[in-house]
Amino acid sequence: MSTSDTILSALADGVLTLTLNRPDKLNAFNEEMHLALRAGFERAHADGTVRAVLLTGAGRGFCAGQDLGDRDPKKGVPDLGHTIETFYNPLLRLIRSLEKPVICAVNGVAAGAGANIAFACDITLAARSARFIQAFSKIGLVPDSGGTWSLPHLIGEARAKALTLTAEPLGAETAADWGLIWRAVDDDKLMEEATALATRLAAGPTRGLGMTKRAIQAAATNSLDQQLDLERDLQREAGRSADYAEGVSAFLEKRKPEFKGK
Ligand code: LHQ
């Protein structure tokens, strides 16, 4: 586990809150923050007491993507493919493969990789004043962090192309109307709402929630027949879980279920 202060990490009520913490740089990624965030998600994979993750940013921004201060072109021609393979792709894979809910609270501007990481999370809320910018085209790059996959899937090719080619900022309410994120909320209510949601999910049948996440994601590439087979297999597994037995017992006994994520 990393001890870097570029990521603040706190576990409460089964929710691991990971806060991007380079506010002077609008939480742009340097290597240290990448490794610390990765360590946070690796912990979420390995630690059974973590039943949901809440990702947010410190200060007035969520994340301004890659720290461009580390990228002075005078230092030579870079291999950005190496950067993507070493840092961004492992992070995206950790978020998507985590069989626990990942909630994202976008507290301010989300640019470049910062926007696409927010779109990769399972449920993304944003402060009404937040904006999303596909900043890549402003500096001659292509979208990364899964943006060329998530944007057309979530909002269709026409909007995905316009956002990425123009780099025009998109407000949180429009992002919610378009289905890019779950909900825009008042700025001063963002953390309250996001924490309440994460806490509620963490107290839920998180094995079943994790399998639900897997099934929804698989639909992007599966045929209906493959998806029906997957639902059968996952339902078989869910039906054997302690949480299913508890959920049905609680229903029959007219009491609140106590799920353990098992
Ligand atoms: C920053 C940054 C930043 C450093 C704000 N870096 N300092 C992958 C592989 C490898 C290489 C390249 O990239 C990638 C993936 C990517 O993410 S590419 C996209 C990189 N990000 C951007 O191009 C966004 C750059 N930032 C901006 O356009 C603006 O800062 C936004 C629109 C995000 C916010 O604008 P403002 O609200 O007006 O804030 P600001 O520009 O005044 O920024 C505040 C401070 O944060 C400022 O520092 P200063 O010392 O002057 O107060 C900025 O220099 C710093 N900052 N983004 N990415």
Side-chain angles (χ1 to χ4, degrees), residues 22-29 34 60-61 63-71 78-84 87-88 109-117 131 133-139 141-145 169:
R22 300 185 72 225
D24 296 349
K25 304 284 181 192
L26 301 180
N27 304 317
F29 275 99
H34 259 298
R60 73 173 177 89
C63 176
Q66 175 66 36
D67 188 327
L68 298 176
D70 286 354
R71 298 283 159 180
D79 178 356
L80 298 191
H82 180 260
T83 308
I84 296 296
F87 295 105
Y88 289 94
V109 66
N116 292 339
I117 289 166
R131 60 203 197 281
I133 309 171
Q134 293 293 318
F136 309 90
S137 61
K138 285 189 178 175
I139 54 171
L141 292 183
V142 294
D144 57 33
S145 304

Side-chain angles (χ1 to χ4, degrees), residues 7 16 30-31 37-38 44-45 60 78 105 112 114 137 160 189 197 211 232 255 258:
I7 295 292
L16 181 66
N30 62 6
E31 287 196 12
L37 185 59
R38 183 189 305 175
H45 274 259
R60 73 173 177 89
S137 61
K189 292 278 186 298
L197 175 62
M211 287 191 277
R232 174 202 59 213
R255 61 173 174 81
E258 279 186 43

Side-chain angles (χ1 to χ4, degrees), residues 8 19-24 26-27 56-63 107:
L8 306 177
T19 305
L20 310 175
N21 188 38
R22 300 185 72 225
D24 296 349
L26 301 180
N27 304 317
T56 191
R60 73 173 177 89
F62 171 68
C63 176
N107 51 299

